[in-house]
Amino acid sequence: MKSLKEQIDPKKLPAHVAIIMDGNGRWAKGKGKFRIFGHQNGVNTVRKITEAGAELGIKYFTLYAFSTENWSRPQFEVKALMELLVDTIGKETPTLMKNNIRLQTIGNREDLPAKCNRQLDETIETTKNNTGLTLILALSYSAKWDMINAVKAISEKVKSGILDSNSISDLTINEHLSTAAYPHPELLIRTSGEQRISNFLLWEIAYSELYFSPKLWPDFTPEDLYAAIYDYQNRERRFGKISEQIAEKA
Ligand code: FPP
């Protein structure tokens, strides 16, 4: 009997998988520990899932690591998360190099502590020529924040006459979002059983397949990633068309 991984069709892989890593706090609470213990264990899952995705041949992973709304968590949790981020990125840079992974970020980097930005800049620079998986961390990110910035930039161009408002299209919006350099995710995974989008990539997931796993993020394994991808590969993506039109094209 073939393993789940072996059943995945390498020709039908999603190029871009986005993940809402949810459930660290509940995982820790269930073990009678502080929430940060959940985040620390969440880092292990980030490492395992990133390596598994890179090995499969996924080209882009976007991980929702810290949302605009997460700033309103208790200050000690925010501080601990920022420290964990600096520490993890620093320690994991050799692993990123070993696995040919390029690090990128989306989100409002101005809000992050200087130390965090220094480490991110350093690792982004070190990994910039890697050609395998691109790992995009969404940090101080929210889709509405991104869309507001895009609208502001587009209206400035219209105001100064660089852009004709009648020519604004789908592409214009794409080009002004912080995700402009990446394809839109074909698959969005959320862990922990919650079934919502929480202000993540709202424009980019217009036609993404959504997959909700009941597992809390620290318990999510490469096998669970394979299950999500296998499920995705067995769905029919119609993009507003009918089944027969999709069958004709195939
Ligand atoms: C959601 O769980 C998780 C987060 C807000 C943070 C995710 C961060 C990590 C996995 C660690 C750092 C990441 C990197 C890339 C180094 P939650 O706290 O909302 O859990 P809950 O819903 O159970 O409370």
Side-chain angles (χ1 to χ4, degrees):
M1 164 111 178
K2 277 185 174 180
S3 71
L4 202 46
K5 190 181 172 192
E6 285 162 350
Q7 290 178 62
I8 290 175
D9 181 351
K11 293 191 287 299
K12 280 171 60 187
L13 277 181
H16 187 169
V17 179
I19 308 184
I20 303 177
M21 312 179 285
D22 197 13
N24 293 347
R26 274 165 284 165
W27 185 89
K29 206 172 160 201
K31 296 193 156 23
K33 306 269 188 185
F34 291 116
R35 294 176 56 82
I36 192 64
F37 183 67
H39 298 313
Q40 285 161 346
N41 280 274
V43 169
N44 295 334
T45 306
V46 170
R47 187 186 308 109
K48 283 186 228 156
I49 295 303
T50 306
E51 286 189 12
E55 198 202 320
L56 270 185
I58 306 285
K59 295 306 287 178
Y60 299 88
F61 251 151
T62 300
L63 305 183
Y64 208 3
F66 195 87
S67 73
T68 308
E69 291 76 19
N70 286 154
W71 289 113
S72 37
R73 289 194 173 193
Q75 274 315 295
F76 62 87
E77 183 172 343
V78 171
K79 196 163 172 277
L81 267 170
M82 291 298 145
E83 276 165 16
L84 187 60
L85 188 72
V86 177
D87 198 46
T88 307
I89 304 294
K91 277 195 196 136
E92 296 295 333
T93 305
T95 320
L96 295 176
M97 293 307 289
K98 192 182 109 220
N99 290 295
N100 195 21
I101 297 169
R102 176 173 71 129
L103 184 76
Q104 302 265 283
T105 63
I106 51 171
N108 190 3
R109 290 273 304 271
E110 284 172 19
D111 280 352
L112 299 181
K115 203 172 150 196
C116 211
N117 275 320
R118 273 197 301 275
Q119 182 61 64
L120 286 166
D121 285 340
E122 194 185 309
T123 304
I124 289 170
E125 179 62 25
T126 310
T127 61
K128 72 175 180 197
N129 294 321
N130 289 347
T131 54
L133 176 90
T134 296
L135 176 64
I136 306 153
L137 296 184
L139 293 166
S140 191
Y141 170 89
S142 74
K144 288 189 180 179
W145 164 84
D146 210 8
M147 286 186 196
I148 292 166
N149 282 340
V151 171
K152 282 184 189 162
I154 294 169
S155 22
E156 279 305 318
K157 287 186 185 168
V158 171
K159 205 162 77 185
S160 59
I162 305 171
L163 187 68
D164 173 2
S165 65
N166 290 314
S167 72
I168 295 175
S169 68
D170 197 317
L171 288 179
T172 323
I173 315 275
N174 281 343
E175 280 165 11
H176 289 83
L177 290 170
S178 64
T179 51
Y182 320 120
H184 291 173
E186 294 95 330
L187 173 63
L188 170 73
I189 300 171
R190 182 175 189 142
T191 60
S192 91
E194 305 291 348
Q195 301 195 1
R196 53 176 177 272
I197 304 300
S198 301
N199 214 347
F200 191 41
L201 303 173
L202 296 179
W203 174 270
E204 297 84 346
I205 59 162
Y207 275 101
S208 303
E209 294 297 325
L210 308 182
Y211 183 91
F212 298 103
S213 164
K215 292 266 189 93
L216 302 175
W217 178 249
D219 289 332
F220 194 76
T221 63
E223 205 58 20
D224 295 316
L225 174 72
Y226 304 148
I229 295 174
Y230 182 74
D231 189 271
Y232 158 84
Q233 291 191 330
N234 287 287
R235 295 186 191 184
E236 182 184 60
R237 304 188 75 209
R238 291 198 294 275
F239 303 97
K241 296 183 180 164
I242 64 167
S243 277
E244 287 75 5
Q245 290 173 297
I246 305 297
E248 264 168 37
K249 222 183 129 212

